[in-house]
Amino acid sequence: MVLGLRLHSALYPSWGLACLLPRSFASCPGKSDSCLTMPQLGLLHRRAWASLLGQLRRPPGAVCIRVVHSHSQVAEATLTSQLKPHQEKSNFIIKTPKGTRDLSPQQMVVREKILDMVVSCFKRHGAKGLDTPAFELKEMLTEKYGEDSMLIYDLKDQGGELLSLRYDLTVPFARYLAMNKVKKMKRYHVGKVWRRESPTIVQGRYREFCQCDFDIAGQFDPMIPDAECLKIMCEILSGLQLGDFLIKVNDRRILDGIFAVCGIPESKFHAICSSIDKLDKMSWKDVRHEMVAKKGLAPEVADRIGDYVQCHGGVSLVEQMFQDSELSQNQHALEGLRDLKLLFEYLTLFGVAEKISFDLSLARGLDYYTGVIYEAVLLQTSARAGEEPLNVGSVAAGGRYDGLVGMFDPKGHKVPCVGLSIGVERIFSIVEQRMKNVGEKIRTTETEVFVATPQKNFLQERLKLIAELWDAGIKAELMYKNNPKLLTQLRYCENMGIPLMVIIGEQELKEGVIKLRSVASREEVAIKRENLVAEIQKRLSES
Amino acid sequence: MAERAALEELVRLQGERVRGLKQQKASAEQVRPRRQGRGQSKAEEDRAGVVCTEIEEEVAKLLKLKAQLGPDEGKQKFVLKTPKGTRDYSPRQMAVREKVFEVIISCFKRHGAEVIDTPVFELKETLTGKYGEDSKLIYDLKDQGGELLSLRYDLTVPFARYLAMNKLTNIKRYHIAKVYRRDNPAMTRGRYREFYQCDFDIAGQFDPMIPDAECLKIMCEILSSLQIGDFLVKVNDRRILDGMFAICGVPDSKFRTICSSVDKLDKVSWEEVKNEMVGEKGLAPEVADHIGDYVQQHGGVSLVKQLLQDPKLSQNKQALEGLGDLKLLFEYLTLFGIADKALEEKVRTTETQVLVASAQKKLLEERLKLVSELWDAGIKAELLYKKNPKLLNQLQYCEETGIPLVAIIGEQELKDGVIKLRSVASREEVDIRREDLVEEIKRRTNQPICIC
């Protein structure tokens, strides 16, 4: 180690510089969604908190120590702003922006478990990871989302390029393919997207949320990639053990065919589609009413649509549609039906056909789908026998979009794509709720061993010992106190769920041993110093 | 030409009319959310129905006009790129990034840190006044009628906001996420406008220097594990600097600016720094010389001891505090020592273990069945999306992407109830009974695989 008498830009000087807390604050107003309270060690009574903050307004008081800091001018600016005299801002409320939230350590543990599982499934199917910037040139996103375009977050015009936050991960993917002239790619992308929707926190609908996308781009023999996408959805939803689920499948061309056969003009396509899409939440009666009263559809036409879109079933429904005298005359519909038939064959070979339902009411929001479309819903089986399983909401969706990349390519070259998106936010809420109901305790650290001492003046020994453990890759902690009490250390282990303790004191030093203690059973055994690491590793692998 | 221009103008106007109508419809719906077909007045329904039909008609007109312009209309006129200062991460870069993060995160976890996440943007007022001159580098979001927002500039201010919001006093947390700065990007030096920060912080009142020592230990563990070569961690203390400036005769008002000059010593020579301090910042030359005597020194804990003996510096209360803490820090760092190694591997962009291949035509069904079995057993597997791929192509694919094993289905093998399992590296093939295949693959993939 070297002591240098110059500031180095990579290291923030360790001195009493307080955390960058807002200069004044109002206590969290009521219990708004973005103001979380957490059961944590060190929670202060409100008055005590206020006085602590009062002290922190004028440093020093060593509170935050930074490890890596990439721009020294920020460190500089921070100091400056803290040292300047400031005005009190009495109305400043601390919160996250509307529709967004922090994730506490407990929530992060749940999230990481779920994302690990999703990503490992994507990897098992040979997908490569990809990442794109949080914002795109505004013009990239224009005209890709139809009516939803007004929900895009724009960045302020600060004299440079006009930018917008990405609305999904599909359009950036298409941009990437066109930009790099990629003809074939199987990629996954886990990332946040942003939509200025009306947030409904209760239903897990936020403005900033995570998406897990898997897409296969390229010209291949028909329906094999499409089938793999559905197989992946099934693997993930089964693996997450969310209960029974159903994947509805339809095809844009079949919808087009139905509309043509029923006499609906192309100009009304999107409007009628969005009505039909509501059939999972509204009754046919209400949907029909909307189409006739609000969208100017003739009642007879609405009835004819009704005959079709209320149908759902397995591959036998596909056969039935082939027999439909009118639909089978429509070229679009025939293409769609043929592809669905092939799809069902492959899904049967994949062993997932019984989870799939050909549902003619599936219309899906986004404009860019061109072929098969699908949506997965969780079923909540009701208590009473004979009732329709309730629909709790969609947790994954996707489809084929063959025209999107062509919109980016300067020469309009198309790259056919099919993909899926897992709605992990909904899944997080469900899993979180489940864990709360069961009262499951979530550990927020992975610490395996706590280094303790019952005696005073043993800090040096603890530091030496813990470094040995860290160097052997063991996850270890110690208390940041020169002379901590043994009981305090024990309590800490119990609260944090740390399984093992190593205790060192005068006697142990003399004898050349360390006491290894199981926190749960409270059993202690003396281990020779040189065998300690091996013994710990053995115990950890056995548990 | 004029005709075309006139036509383009018509298209533009028509487009605006359509957007206007859609905007009207949308704001009407925001004011009066859809009540799902119940309880709306007949008049409202009629009006809504009329607006919809209006929109449809205008859209139809727009499309007709565009069609007249010809097939070139509607093609994008922009350049395909990511925004200035940002970039995509290709699969190769993702694989490298993942490895680096794994090292960093496992180190943070080894030291008992929890992890949190915060939104990518904050209320503008949360970030105001925290970054001094750098405030102009903050990305603001457009005022779209709601709260005023800005993209986060670092992870520290959000951390402080998180502590205050949750009334926390003690926490050891790490946070790995992207931050945004409207800097002048220097791509070659890895300086972007959107970039990752990996922060580790310990908040709380504790006995001196233990957490500080742990932070330095973490830095060393990470830099060693990443094997990017020899490194040095330079340490100083603000109080020592201030004390030194004071006894050298730097006026209080010039402390910060002299500090930033001294900071440049790692990039420029002492002569240049001295010139800047004297010439640009108005420091007296003797004072500058005095500073020079101190700042050009570096050493280990012996330097700390030496400075503690320095007659002038030891009179300065601040400097003494700093030196005392550094002495303690060095003691702890000695007890900690240094850390570890990492494994070298060829960088693959996927983790696929087995390719399911067919030697003859018309074996797609069999491939689908087999790959499904492998997936269900948790094995990472792929197949080519072709009904009748050539065996050679399938083998080549494995070599290109680094897939180590191929499970080959052939007509004869099907009859015999076996699958040919081939090692891509050694080219050796062996027949495995269908029911033993999964186990055999798992056995082979647990051994270290030579990807050459």
Side-chain angles (χ1 to χ4, degrees), chain B residues 377-391:
Chain B
I379 294 173
K380 303 176 185 131
E382 281 188 61
L383 83 168
L384 290 194
Y385 295 135
K386 275 196 90 58
K387 285 201 237 165
N388 302 310
K390 294 198 170 52
L391 186 59

Side-chain angles (χ1 to χ4, degrees), chain A residues 223-496:
Chain A
M223 301 321 277
I224 314 178
D226 312 52
E228 184 166 14
C229 285
L230 285 162
K231 172 69 173 163
I232 286 172
M233 274 168 78
C234 290
E235 281 178 19
I236 289 176
L237 294 177
S238 300
L240 289 172
Q241 299 184 307
L242 300 166
D244 268 332
F245 63 90
L246 183 70
I247 303 185
K248 301 181 195 173
V249 165
N250 198 356
D251 192 295
R252 270 298 280 265
R253 295 160 294 176
I254 296 177
L255 266 175
D256 283 345
I258 291 175
F259 280 22
V261 150
C262 294
I264 297 176
E266 252 187 72
S267 59
K268 284 204 192 308
F269 183 84
H270 290 298
I272 300 303
C273 254
S274 77
S275 290
I276 290 174
D277 203 25
K278 296 178 187 171
L279 267 173
D280 57 351
K281 300 182 207 94
M282 286 161 59
S283 70
W284 165 245
K285 191 161 158 288
D286 291 334
V287 168
R288 181 190 180 281
H289 184 81
E290 178 181 288
M291 295 197 295
V292 171
K294 284 184 72 175
K295 308 205 174 173
L297 205 62
E300 322 80 68
V301 175
D303 285 328
R304 296 184 68 196
I305 294 243
D307 287 339
Y308 285 109
V309 300
Q310 293 182 88
C311 292
H312 54 86
V315 66
S316 51
L317 179 59
V318 181
E319 296 297 342
Q320 194 185 313
M321 289 294 135
F322 269 125
Q323 308 301 326
D324 182 290
S325 52
E326 289 178 347
L327 206 55
S328 55
Q329 301 296 325
N330 182 284
Q331 208 41 48
H332 281 305
L334 269 184
E335 276 175 30
L337 287 168
R338 282 191 200 114
D339 275 353
L340 279 195
K341 181 157 182 265
L342 191 54
L343 180 67
F344 266 100
E345 275 177 43
Y346 294 155
L347 293 175
T348 310
L349 289 166
F350 277 160
V352 296
E354 78 278 3
K355 296 279 191 212
I356 316 289
S357 166
F358 174 29
D359 191 324
L360 285 165
S361 72
L362 181 63
R364 296 292 305 150
L366 293 172
D367 281 352
Y368 49 64
Y369 290 118
T370 56
V372 66
I373 50 181
Y374 33 83
E375 182 179 282
V377 292
L378 295 180
L379 304 172
Q380 214 169 53
T381 42
S382 91
R384 272 164 282 191
E387 275 191 33
E388 272 292 305
L390 280 175
N391 189 323
V392 170
S394 141
V395 285
R400 176 162 282 284
Y401 52 103
D402 289 346
L404 189 60
V405 177
M407 287 176 78
F408 287 102
D409 187 280
K411 297 214 174 82
H413 288 315
K414 288 191 173 178
V415 176
C417 297
V418 65
L420 65 104
S421 184
I422 307 284
V424 282
E425 296 291 339
R426 278 241 68 218
I427 295 174
F428 293 151
S429 336
I430 293 170
V431 175
E432 265 180 279
Q433 191 56 46
R434 194 206 298 162
M435 289 176 105
K436 223 191 278 185
N437 292 341
V438 167
E440 200 173 313
K441 182 160 198 255
I442 307 173
R443 275 199 70 186
T444 55
T445 65
E446 298 183 10
T447 307
E448 298 160 329
V449 181
F450 188 88
V451 176
T453 180
Q455 270 136 359
K456 292 194 168 190
N457 300 319
F458 254 76
L459 175 62
Q460 295 213 359
E461 290 304 322
R462 279 189 290 142
L463 293 176
K464 255 198 287 190
L465 185 50
I466 201 173
E468 269 180 54
L469 299 182
W470 286 332
D471 290 349
I474 296 171
K475 301 177 188 141
E477 280 188 78
L478 87 172
M479 208 143 259
Y480 296 135
K481 276 194 94 54
N482 294 339
N483 301 312
K485 293 200 171 45
L486 189 60
L487 195 57
T488 315
Q489 295 170 90
L490 200 50
R491 286 246 175 80
Y492 180 77
C493 289
E494 288 174 358
N495 286 339
M496 297 300 284

Side-chain angles (χ1 to χ4, degrees), chain B residues 16 42 78 82 138 141 278 293 339 381 411 427:
Chain B
E16 291 200 0
K42 178 110 188 11
F78 49 81
T82 51
I138 297 176
L141 266 68
V278 173
D293 289 338
E411 279 163 14
R427 302 196 176 194

Side-chain angles (χ1 to χ4, degrees), chain A residues 3 7 11 34 36 66 95 102 123-124 131 161 175 192 208 221 228 268 444 471 480 482, chain B residues 56 81 88-89 98 114 117 147 156 161 165-166 207 214 234 263 299 340 351 381 385 387:
Chain A
L3 168 63
L7 271 180
L11 189 67
S34 41
L36 302 164
R66 169 151 304 294
K95 61 189 272 302
D102 296 319
K123 285 181 171 178
R124 189 161 63 245
D131 196 12
E161 302 163 319
R175 194 259 311 135
K192 299 223 181 110
E208 172 188 73
D221 287 342
E228 184 166 14
K268 284 204 192 308
T444 55
D471 290 349
Y480 296 135
N482 294 339
Chain B
E56 285 156 20
K81 61 191 277 297
D88 297 317
Y89 278 84
E98 209 170 304
E114 302 178 302
D117 197 13
E147 301 162 321
T156 311
R161 194 240 336 117
M165 224 167 106
N166 296 287
D207 285 344
E214 185 165 13
K234 298 183 190 177
D263 200 26
D340 259 332
E351 299 183 12
Y385 295 135
K387 285 201 237 165

Side-chain angles (χ1 to χ4, degrees), chain B residues 10-39:
Chain B
L10 280 178
V11 167
R12 194 185 65 77
L13 287 171
Q14 185 65 11
E16 291 200 0
R17 179 174 294 134
V18 167
R19 271 185 284 276
L21 283 174
K22 286 186 173 177
Q23 193 74 301
Q24 262 183 49
K25 173 165 178 273
S27 25
E29 268 159 22
Q30 269 176 8
V31 166
R32 210 179 39 245
R34 288 182 193 159
R35 273 174 278 159
Q36 316 226 330
R38 268 163 283 162

